[in-house]
Amino acid sequence: MPSRKPTRFAFALGGIALALLLSGCGELANFGFDSGLSSVNDITLPLWNWSWLAAAVVGAFTLALIAYTSIFHRRKNDEIPKQTQYNIPVEIAYTIIPLVIVAVLFAFTAIDENKITKPQPGVVKHEIGIEGIQWSWQFIYPEAGAKAIVTGTPAQPPTLYLPLGERVRFDLTSNDVVHGFWIPAFMIQIQNLPGVTNHLEFTANKLGEFPGRCNMLCGRNHSEMIFKVKVVTPAEYQSYLETLKAVQS
Ligand SMILES: [Cu+2]
């Protein structure tokens, strides 16, 4: 009975995987991200979670097909099995199924992207300029005057202040090459392009400090393009703007 051992082994492996998955469900929720942090991640998290679940289903199905073939169709003797050149229904199925998967993922992504990038001019309370420079960031606060510009360096990464619960509009540019403005915790990523101004509106919904970085390979010191995001109360944000004003006068 040569097929007995591998079958038991496959069942044992499947059992262990299922046990691990069920026991870890608490930590697996949201797959590494927190909910309620920002207006963007509240939109993105369901898509993120369902994409992982869809990937798990596709992965399990594929693994089952591979296991079935390798367990039940192992070489039993020296006889060459029936040789098949093609199987039209199978080939149509494995062309159409991935196309449907990609189309569904694309549609849900496009719907969420439209929600995230839709401007809400009446709700926006603040405007902040984000300029990528080789190799750091400049944060521009026009509310605090024309010269309210915070420039970071690799040795002294800048801090981006954001007011809690108030919608901010970012105007993103670059003065040299393509950079990627990325705040992982908030699930925000948008490119800084030379000669183009990109916009993103966003509300931070949790006080605290969060790391930010550049995620476009932009040159030798790309990895040093880090910054800190500090979400403060609206009153603290106003007093920060006042300190920026005071520095200029
Ligand atoms: Cu960069």
Side-chain angles (χ1 to χ4, degrees), residues 133 135-137 177-180 214-219 222 225:
I133 43 173
W135 283 274
S136 194
W137 299 91
V177 298
V178 177
H179 298 280
C214 175
N215 70 354
M216 279 282 138
L217 186 57
C218 57
H222 155 72
M225 280 190 68

Side-chain angles (χ1 to χ4, degrees), residues 171-184:
D171 304 317
L172 303 112
T173 54
S174 165
N175 80 344
D176 38 52
V177 298
V178 177
H179 298 280
F181 175 73
W182 185 33
I183 310 173

Side-chain angles (χ1 to χ4, degrees), residues 174-198:
S174 165
N175 80 344
D176 38 52
V177 298
V178 177
H179 298 280
F181 175 73
W182 185 33
I183 310 173
F186 296 145
M187 302 178 97
I188 284 179
Q189 193 287 136
I190 186 162
Q191 287 185 358
N192 299 68
L193 304 171
V196 175
T197 304
N198 272 337

